[in-house]
């Protein structure tokens, strides 16, 4: 009885603490100490220069986990500047985000891959009088993270990566890896390769790189679903990063922000240039800057060069798109969608990307993104 009473008192205390914490968080979220008038008649936040316009209520969104860390920062700052607005971004996968968008359950979706023709066709049912379009918002390197006790630096090229992820290279001291890492003490240890379990634009971008840079060794189509046999699956970029973090002998792929936040070592890529290239925001920007717009009309889908040998250009890059209707957006969320995306595409929003391990969208492309956001209806 004494033990039961003691446990009951502990549970009661913890419950009170949780309620107290929740109240503190609620107070922080709603405390308007910046003098803003966000959400009221097009006023601008004095604290952060966020133009709230007529934004109000909840804005549901979902999709790419690649941009989760950026979206978390954006949502936090935006809601602090625009009272009465709640951005609810569910980090899942690009595939799930597109499905939600085409079902009409979100105001916008995040995807690491541009809409396919059949997905655009389906979007016309939701976008009355219009269609879904791709707005490039987040750039960055797809880092190849590894965990190998005693090895802090590792260089790989596209053919070797392709063979690793296809299960053709099985040991860390394989001759192909040793040749690229002269002097490194590579252990006679099995390679444990991790990939995404669900449809993922990050997977598709890695596939595009391997297919373009190592066509003889990677025979799979670049799809969102992991195509190769073997390996181990984990959910989301966070799941793959968590496995690599804890499993000795592992390798996986995820956005640089996950490697940075968890102190995971990343592979330098031998592109055939003068020196291997590190996965950094700056080096990813050099590759993205060479991208061409392949979309038509208001669609701003990009064509990336995965075979670049340009000095310092990191070739495994992705661009995350925010998917919206060019026409026919939901009236109840349109103002909030435009206001929020104006912030993310603006100078302040894009500046945060570098600090979070991402790469800003090049100015020439970004200016077109802003123009398109302003024209959404």
């Amino acid at each position: 009885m004494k033990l039961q009473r003691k446990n009951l008192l502990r549970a009661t205390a913890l419950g009170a603490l949780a309620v107290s914490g929740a109240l503190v968080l609620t107070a922080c979220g709603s405390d308007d100490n910046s003098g803003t008038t966000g959400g009221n008649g097009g006023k601008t936040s004095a604290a952060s220069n966020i133009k709230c316009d007529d934004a109000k209520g909840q804005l549901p969104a979902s999709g790419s986990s690649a941009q989760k860390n950026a979206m978390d920062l954006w949502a936090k700052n935006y809601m602090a500047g625009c009272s009465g607005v709640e951005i609810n971004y569910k980090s899942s996968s690009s595939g799930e985000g597109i499905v939600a968008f085409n079902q009409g359950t979100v105001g916008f979706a995040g995807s690491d891959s541009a809409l396919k023709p059949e997905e655009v066709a389906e979007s016309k049912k939701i976008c009355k009088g219009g269609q879904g379009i791709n707005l490039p918002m987040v750039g960055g390197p797809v880092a190849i993270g590894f965990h190998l006790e005693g090895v802090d630096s590792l260089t790989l090229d596209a053919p070797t990566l392709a063979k690793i992820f296809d299960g053709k290279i099985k040991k860390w001291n394989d001759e192909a890896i040793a040749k690229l890492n002269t002097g490194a003490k590579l252990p006679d240890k099995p390679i444990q390769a991790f990939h995404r379990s669900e449809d993922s634009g990050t997977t598709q971008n890695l596939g595009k790189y391997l297919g373009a840079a190592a066509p003889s060794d990677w025979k799979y189509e670049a799809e969102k679903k992991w195509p190769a046999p073997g390996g181990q699956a984990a959910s989301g970029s966070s799941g793959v990063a968590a496995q690599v973090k804890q499993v000795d002998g592992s390798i996986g792929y995820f956005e640089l922000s996950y490697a940075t936040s968890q102190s995971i070592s990343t592979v330098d890529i031998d592109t055939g240039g003068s020196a291997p290239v590190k996965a950094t925001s700056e080096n990813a920007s050099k590759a993205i800057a060479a991208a061409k717009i392949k979309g038509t009309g208001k669609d701003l889908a990009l064509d990336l060069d995965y075979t670049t040998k340009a000095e310092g250009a990191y070739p495994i890059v992705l661009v995350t798109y925010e998917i919206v209707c060019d026409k026919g957006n939901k009236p109840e969320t349109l103002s909030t969608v435009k206001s929020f995306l104006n912030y993310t595409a603006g100078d302040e929003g894009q500046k945060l990307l570098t600090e979070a391990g991402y790469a800003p969208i090049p100015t020439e492309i970004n200016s077109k993104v802003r123009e398109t956001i302003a024209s959404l209806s």
Side-chain angles (χ1 to χ4, degrees):
M1 291 296 293
K2 290 183 178 180
L3 180 61
Q4 288 179 341
R5 178 175 176 80
K6 182 177 181 181
N7 287 339
L8 177 61
L9 289 171
R10 176 183 289 180
T12 302
L14 288 174
L17 181 60
V19 171
S20 175
L23 290 173
V24 171
L25 288 172
T26 301
C28 290
S30 61
D31 192 353
D32 188 6
N33 57 11
S34 62
T36 67
T37 52
N40 299 314
K43 299 292 182 67
T44 299
S45 162
S48 58
N49 296 318
I50 297 175
K51 191 175 183 183
C52 303
D53 292 320
D54 295 316
K56 59 186 176 183
Q58 294 190 355
L59 174 59
S62 69
S64 166
S65 65
Q67 67 173 8
K68 177 186 183 301
N69 294 335
M71 193 60 68
D72 286 349
L73 280 173
W74 283 335
K76 177 183 177 182
N77 288 358
Y78 181 84
M79 289 188 293
C82 297
S83 62
V85 182
E86 187 175 345
I87 309 297
N88 293 321
Y89 183 81
K90 179 185 176 184
S91 172
S92 51
S93 68
S94 299
E96 292 177 55
I98 291 171
V99 168
F101 178 77
N102 280 339
Q103 289 177 341
T105 60
V106 295
F108 71 90
S111 177
D112 310 338
S113 297
L115 292 167
K116 294 179 179 179
E118 59 268 28
E119 292 169 338
V120 173
E122 189 177 353
S123 74
K124 293 179 181 180
K125 300 174 185 177
I126 297 299
C127 304
K128 303 301 182 183
Q131 66 180 42
I133 57 172
N134 305 281
L135 301 178
M137 197 67 68
V138 181
V142 177
I144 307 298
F146 72 96
H147 178 175
L148 193 57
E149 295 296 337
V151 178
D152 298 322
S153 178
L154 188 68
T155 296
L156 297 173
D157 57 13
T160 307
L161 271 174
K163 292 171 187 173
I164 288 173
F165 281 114
D166 198 19
K168 301 293 176 58
I169 292 179
K170 302 179 183 296
K171 291 288 190 74
W172 278 109
N173 62 347
D174 188 275
E175 183 180 351
I177 300 177
K179 187 176 180 180
L180 292 164
N181 295 274
T182 305
K185 294 182 179 179
L186 299 169
D188 181 16
K189 184 178 295 183
I191 295 174
Q192 298 193 55
F194 286 90
H195 58 264
R196 292 281 289 274
S197 59
E198 74 286 2
D199 286 4
S200 161
T202 311
T203 294
Q204 188 171 40
N205 278 278
L206 176 63
K208 287 179 179 178
Y209 164 72
L210 294 175
S216 298
D217 299 293
W218 191 257
K219 300 293 188 179
Y220 306 101
E221 292 294 324
E223 298 291 347
K224 293 187 178 77
K225 185 176 180 63
W226 181 255
Q232 301 179 61
S235 178
S237 291
S238 58
V240 175
Q243 290 297 322
V244 172
K245 175 73 173 178
Q246 67 184 20
V247 177
D248 184 23
S250 62
I251 189 169
Y253 59 94
F254 33 79
E255 294 67 43
L256 181 62
S257 60
Y258 290 92
T260 302
S261 64
Q262 298 190 46
S263 300
I264 298 172
S265 298
T266 59
V267 171
D268 297 342
I269 301 299
D270 185 344
T271 64
S274 61
V277 185
K278 293 186 178 298
T280 67
S281 297
E282 181 182 2
N283 291 344
S285 290
K286 293 176 182 178
I288 296 172
K292 307 295 183 184
I293 295 176
K294 64 179 180 181
T296 58
K298 293 183 179 180
D299 184 76
L300 300 176
L302 301 178
D303 187 14
L304 298 167
D305 180 9
Y306 296 97
T307 62
T308 180
K309 292 180 175 60
E311 192 71 24
Y314 184 82
I316 319 176
V317 293
L318 63 75
V319 169
T320 295
Y321 301 96
E322 311 311 337
I323 295 171
V324 295
C325 299
D326 56 357
K327 297 178 183 177
N329 289 280
K330 293 181 179 181
E332 62 268 28
T333 57
L334 176 59
S335 293
T336 309
V337 167
K338 293 178 71 171
S339 173
F340 180 63
L341 295 185
N342 266 325
Y343 164 65
T344 65
D347 292 339
E348 184 177 333
Q350 289 290 297
K351 181 182 178 182
L352 283 175
L353 292 178
T354 300
E355 299 170 7
Y358 296 96
I361 300 301
T363 302
E364 182 179 346
I365 298 171
N366 185 251
S367 63
K368 296 178 181 179
V369 172
R370 297 188 201 187
E371 290 173 11
T372 302
I373 293 170
S375 71
L376 298 179
S377 62

